[in-house]
Amino acid sequence: MKLTDLQLDGYRGFESYTLNDLARVNLLVGKNNCGKTSVLEAINLLTDNGSLRVLAQFASQRRQRGFWFADQPDRNVEILDVSPAFFGYRVKPNAKFVVTSNRNKLFNRNKLFMETVPINTVGNDQLYIDPDIQHVTRNIGEAPTVGLQITASSLKYTLPIFPITENGSLIYSDQLRRYTQWETECRSRFLSTTPMHPVDIRNIWEKVIRERRETNLIDALRTLEPDIESIHLLPGNWSMDNVLVDRQSGGPRIGIGSFGEGMRRLLDLSLALIDSANGVLLIDEIDTGLHWTVMEDLWRFVITAARQSNVQVFATTHSYDCLEGLASLMQNDPGLAADVSLQKIERALPQAVALRGEQLPMAIEQDIEVR
Amino acid sequence: MVKQRSPLHVEGKDDYHALSHLLATRQLDTKVPWFPEIKEAGGVDKLLNSINTAIMFGPGHAVGFVLDANASPDDRWRAVSSRLASVGLTPPADLPAAGYIDFCESFQTRTGVWLMPDNRREGALEDFLIDLINPTDPLLAHARSATNQAQELGAAFPVKATRKAELRAWLAWCEEPGLPYGSALRADYFRHDSSDAEAFLTWFSKLFHAAGTEEAGQS
């Protein structure tokens, strides 16, 4: 398992915060704005060694994506604001955030630093020079005066320092975007509340077919429709109607689009779990689109699939039904409890309040407000 | 925004109804924001097992526990103390007569414990309620002697349930016979003021009202 504990220093709204006793499957709960999604983001950044591509993805998810310059048709340049990642939005030189996992473990400790330095202290051989920088600087009227330094303990090489403005604007060009897929042993996948992109689904489906993982998909879909027997993907543009299923009760093959939005969510979840094998899967609002009656089965599927594919899962929820479904599963299937941890992001304390899977049924029965 | 209420954990349904009605009849406005939500645990073992978790998930609130001392108040307090210690509290060796209240720093939770009837003697909720009956009431003496006689005649109830039997016997002869504790409190059958009840209400107010005031002070 990748992460046994996590520490955030200066990331987003967390000046200093820890999560301990992490398990294979972790459910993060807490009030609105307590930072659950920020914790998922921090894990994503950590496992992806500070990839700017991941930062850009967060900006998309938070609908904070920057603006584009299209006056040169062969150049797509985006302004990415990196300041939200820093506590207090401070990016003036000597701002820093650190994300650490397994901090007391000598060999598995993983640390990510992102800090800012004055650009005039950075040698040209260390600086990332973008061919578009002059052109864009003219357009935004501000030259970068700060360097963004990313240091990841599990990265085998040193990254260049990226120029940003005092407000945190980074010129995120096509070239940089190609460059930022830097290596990582363990990548995370972030599954937000919006459906997965069809191209993404198509790519993972190839893996499903090559590795004969169709039964994993069927197990997931059976959470909602126990009658499903087999699943078939038609060629061409991906859509829910191009995914056909056979049912045990017989009848024609039908597109799973007929089964509603919850089915789409389950498909996304099962594909994400397959694709995250030996890595980390981050699921925001895991119960989205799913009725309270399927929660226990949903969790059974997620924990079993996580074990099978060796995935570490971090999910968030606001829903009591989702929590109750998990507690009910812990009661009915105690063998799964060892792989589960509830983490309440409680801002009044310097660390999350953790509950082991086997303690969850008691907490629900005693009506202890664990959310 | 709905404000989450502080919890008061009690052993069982009798305790739940009795304490709810006691607090209501003593003119405590149950609608004030600091008034706790009373939760029954389904037995003393379940209550004991939930103590540390309830405190861990209580930051910013007060959490109260009411248990019966039963045959050995010392044993009961020791069992509670070990659970309190597991979340970083340092309870005293002897439970104070006014009840236990302290602030759990590690989880920022105000914590209180009351052992029925009075944090000192052995007994349970029934002893607490019997003290709310006028001691000169001849029916109380009659209930006691009748229960004693019943035991001699081979009644099935165990010795430890004697107080319960006495109380139920007395309730059988009230204006509406055989009301459960809560309804009997509501009907104002228990009119006597007892020092235990006063002490309990003081502990209750200090635990929950003061916590509410602190929160209000911060906002």
Coordinates of all heavy atoms in Angstrom, one line a residue, chain A residues 342 344 346 348-349 351 353-355 359 362-363 365-370, chain B residues 4 9 37 39-41 46 49-50 53-54 56-57 59 105-108:
Chain A
L342 N -12.1 5.5 8.0 CA -12.9 6.7 7.8 C -12.0 7.8 8.4 O -11.5 7.7 9.4 CB -14.2 6.7 8.7 CG -15.1 7.9 8.6 CD1 -16.0 7.8 7.4 CD2 -15.9 8.1 9.8
K344 N -12.2 11.8 9.2 CA -12.9 13.1 9.2 C -12.0 14.3 9.2 O -11.1 14.4 10.1 CB -13.8 13.1 10.5 CG -14.6 14.4 10.5 CD -15.6 14.5 11.6 CE -16.4 15.8 11.6 NZ -17.4 15.8 12.6
E346 N -11.3 17.4 10.2 CA -11.8 18.3 11.3 C -10.9 19.4 11.5 O -9.7 19.2 11.9 CB -12.0 17.4 12.6 CG -12.4 18.2 13.8 CD -13.7 18.9 13.6 OE1 -14.8 18.3 13.6 OE2 -13.6 20.2 13.5
A348 N -10.8 21.9 13.4 CA -10.5 22.4 14.8 C -9.3 21.7 15.4 O -8.7 22.1 16.4 CB -11.7 22.2 15.7
L349 N -8.9 20.6 14.7 CA -7.7 19.8 15.2 C -6.6 19.8 14.2 O -6.9 20.1 13.0 CB -8.2 18.4 15.4 CG -9.4 18.1 16.3 CD1 -9.8 16.7 16.3 CD2 -9.1 18.6 17.8
Q351 N -5.1 17.3 13.1 CA -5.1 16.1 12.3 C -6.5 15.6 12.1 O -7.4 15.9 12.9 CB -4.2 15.0 12.9 CG -4.8 14.2 14.1 CD -4.7 14.9 15.4 OE1 -3.7 15.5 15.7 NE2 -5.6 14.7 16.3
V353 N -9.6 13.0 12.2 CA -10.0 12.0 13.2 C -10.3 10.7 12.5 O -11.1 10.6 11.5 CB -11.3 12.4 14.0 CG1 -11.6 11.4 15.0 CG2 -11.1 13.8 14.6
A354 N -9.6 9.6 12.8 CA -9.6 8.4 12.1 C -10.4 7.3 12.8 O -10.3 7.2 14.0 CB -8.2 7.9 11.8
L355 N -11.2 6.5 12.1 CA -12.0 5.4 12.6 C -11.7 4.2 11.7 O -11.7 4.3 10.5 CB -13.4 5.8 12.5 CG -14.4 5.2 13.5 CD1 -14.0 5.5 15.0 CD2 -15.8 5.7 13.3
Q359 N -14.9 -0.3 13.5 CA -15.6 0.6 14.5 C -16.8 1.3 13.9 O -17.6 1.9 14.7 CB -14.6 1.6 15.0 CG -13.4 1.1 15.8 CD -12.4 2.2 16.1 OE1 -11.8 2.7 15.2 NE2 -12.2 2.5 17.4
M362 N -20.5 0.4 15.1 CA -20.8 0.9 16.4 C -21.1 2.4 16.4 O -22.1 2.8 17.0 CB -19.7 0.6 17.3 CG -19.8 1.2 18.7 SD -19.3 2.9 18.9 CE -17.5 2.8 18.6
A363 N -20.3 3.1 15.6 CA -20.5 4.6 15.6 C -21.9 4.9 15.0 O -22.5 5.8 15.5 CB -19.4 5.2 14.8
E365 N -24.5 2.9 14.9 CA -25.6 2.5 15.8 C -25.8 3.4 17.0 O -26.9 3.7 17.4 CB -25.2 1.1 16.4 CG -26.3 0.4 17.1 CD -25.9 -0.8 18.0 OE1 -24.7 -0.9 18.3 OE2 -26.8 -1.6 18.3
Q366 N -24.7 4.0 17.5 CA -24.8 4.9 18.6 C -25.1 6.3 18.1 O -25.1 7.3 18.9 CB -23.4 4.9 19.4 CG -23.1 3.6 20.0 CD -24.1 3.2 21.0 OE1 -24.6 4.1 21.8 NE2 -24.6 2.0 21.0
D367 N -25.3 6.5 16.8 CA -25.7 7.7 16.3 C -24.7 8.8 16.6 O -25.0 10.0 16.8 CB -27.1 8.2 16.8 CG -27.8 9.2 16.0 OD1 -27.4 9.3 14.8 OD2 -28.6 9.9 16.5
I368 N -23.4 8.4 16.5 CA -22.3 9.4 16.7 C -22.1 10.1 15.3 O -22.0 9.5 14.3 CB -21.0 8.7 17.1 CG1 -21.2 8.1 18.5 CG2 -19.8 9.7 17.1 CD1 -20.0 7.2 18.9
E369 N -22.1 11.4 15.4 CA -22.1 12.2 14.1 C -20.6 12.2 13.6 O -19.8 13.0 14.0 CB -22.6 13.6 14.3 CG -22.7 14.4 13.0 CD -23.3 13.6 11.9 OE1 -24.6 13.6 11.8 OE2 -22.6 13.1 11.1
V370 N -20.3 11.2 12.7 CA -18.9 11.1 12.3 C -18.6 11.9 11.0 O -17.5 11.9 10.6 CB -18.6 9.6 12.1 CG1 -18.6 8.8 13.4 CG2 -19.5 8.9 11.1
Chain B
Q4 N -25.4 21.4 14.5 CA -25.3 20.1 15.1 C -25.4 20.2 16.6 O -24.8 21.0 17.2 CB -24.0 19.5 14.7 CG -23.9 18.0 15.0 CD -22.5 17.5 14.7 OE1 -21.9 18.0 13.7 NE2 -22.0 16.7 15.5
H9 N -25.3 10.8 26.0 CA -25.5 9.4 25.8 C -26.0 8.8 27.1 O -25.3 8.9 28.1 CB -24.2 8.8 25.4 CG -23.7 9.2 24.0 ND1 -24.1 8.5 22.8 CD2 -22.9 10.2 23.6 CE1 -23.6 9.1 21.8 NE2 -22.8 10.2 22.2
E37 N -28.8 16.6 22.3 CA -29.7 15.5 21.8 C -29.4 14.3 22.7 O -28.3 13.8 22.8 CB -29.3 15.3 20.4 CG -30.4 14.4 19.6 CD -30.0 14.3 18.2 OE1 -29.3 15.2 17.6 OE2 -30.5 13.3 17.6
K39 N -29.3 10.5 23.4 CA -29.2 9.2 22.6 C -29.1 8.0 23.5 O -28.2 8.0 24.4 CB -28.0 9.3 21.7 CG -28.0 10.6 20.8 CD -26.9 10.5 19.8 CE -26.8 11.9 19.2 NZ -26.4 11.9 17.8
E40 N -29.9 7.0 23.3 CA -29.8 5.8 24.1 C -29.0 4.8 23.4 O -29.1 4.5 22.2 CB -31.2 5.3 24.5 CG -32.1 4.9 23.4 CD -32.3 3.4 23.4 OE1 -31.6 2.6 24.1 OE2 -33.1 2.9 22.5
A41 N -28.1 4.2 24.2 CA -27.0 3.3 23.7 C -27.5 1.9 23.5 O -26.8 1.1 22.8 CB -25.8 3.3 24.6
K46 N -22.6 -1.2 25.5 CA -22.5 -0.5 24.2 C -22.1 1.0 24.5 O -21.4 1.6 23.8 CB -23.8 -0.5 23.5 CG -24.1 -1.9 22.8 CD -25.3 -1.9 21.9 CE -25.4 -3.2 21.3 NZ -26.6 -3.3 20.4
N49 N -18.4 1.2 25.3 CA -17.6 1.0 24.1 C -17.6 2.2 23.1 O -16.8 2.3 22.3 CB -18.1 -0.3 23.3 CG -17.6 -1.5 24.0 OD1 -16.7 -1.5 24.8 ND2 -18.3 -2.6 23.7
S50 N -18.6 3.0 23.3 CA -18.7 4.2 22.4 C -18.1 5.5 23.0 O -18.0 6.5 22.3 CB -20.2 4.4 22.1 OG -20.8 5.0 23.2
T53 N -15.0 7.0 21.0 CA -15.3 7.5 19.7 C -16.2 8.7 19.8 O -16.0 9.7 19.0 CB -16.1 6.4 18.9 OG1 -15.2 5.2 18.9 CG2 -16.4 6.8 17.5
A54 N -17.2 8.7 20.7 CA -18.0 9.9 20.8 C -17.2 11.2 21.1 O -17.5 12.2 20.6 CB -19.1 9.7 21.9
M56 N -14.0 11.6 20.4 CA -13.1 11.9 19.2 C -13.9 12.7 18.2 O -13.3 13.5 17.5 CB -12.6 10.6 18.6 CG -11.5 10.0 19.3 SD -11.2 8.3 18.9 CE -10.9 8.4 17.1
F57 N -15.2 12.4 18.0 CA -16.0 13.1 17.0 C -16.8 14.3 17.6 O -17.7 14.7 17.0 CB -16.9 12.1 16.3 CG -16.1 11.3 15.3 CD1 -15.6 10.0 15.7 CD2 -15.9 11.7 14.0 CE1 -14.8 9.3 14.8 CE2 -15.2 10.9 13.1 CZ -14.6 9.7 13.5
P59 N -15.4 17.5 18.5 CA -14.8 18.8 18.6 C -15.7 20.0 18.4 O -16.6 19.9 17.6 CB -13.8 18.8 17.4 CG -13.5 17.4 17.1 CD -14.7 16.7 17.5
E105 N -8.4 18.1 25.5 CA -7.6 19.0 24.6 C -7.3 18.3 23.2 O -7.4 19.0 22.2 CB -6.2 19.3 25.2 CG -6.2 20.3 26.4 CD -6.5 21.7 25.9 OE1 -6.4 22.0 24.7 OE2 -6.9 22.5 26.7
S106 N -7.0 17.0 23.3 CA -6.6 16.3 22.0 C -7.7 16.4 21.0 O -7.5 16.4 19.8 CB -6.2 14.9 22.2 OG -6.2 14.5 23.5
F107 N -9.0 16.4 21.5 CA -10.1 16.4 20.5 C -11.0 17.6 20.7 O -12.0 17.7 20.1 CB -10.9 15.1 20.6 CG -10.1 13.9 20.2 CD1 -9.5 13.1 21.1 CD2 -9.9 13.7 18.8 CE1 -8.7 12.0 20.7 CE2 -9.1 12.6 18.4 CZ -8.5 11.8 19.3
Q108 N -10.5 18.6 21.5 CA -11.3 19.9 21.7 C -12.7 19.6 22.0 O -13.6 20.3 21.5 CB -11.2 20.7 20.4 CG -9.8 21.1 20.0 CD -9.2 22.2 21.0 OE1 -9.8 23.3 21.1 NE2 -8.1 21.9 21.7

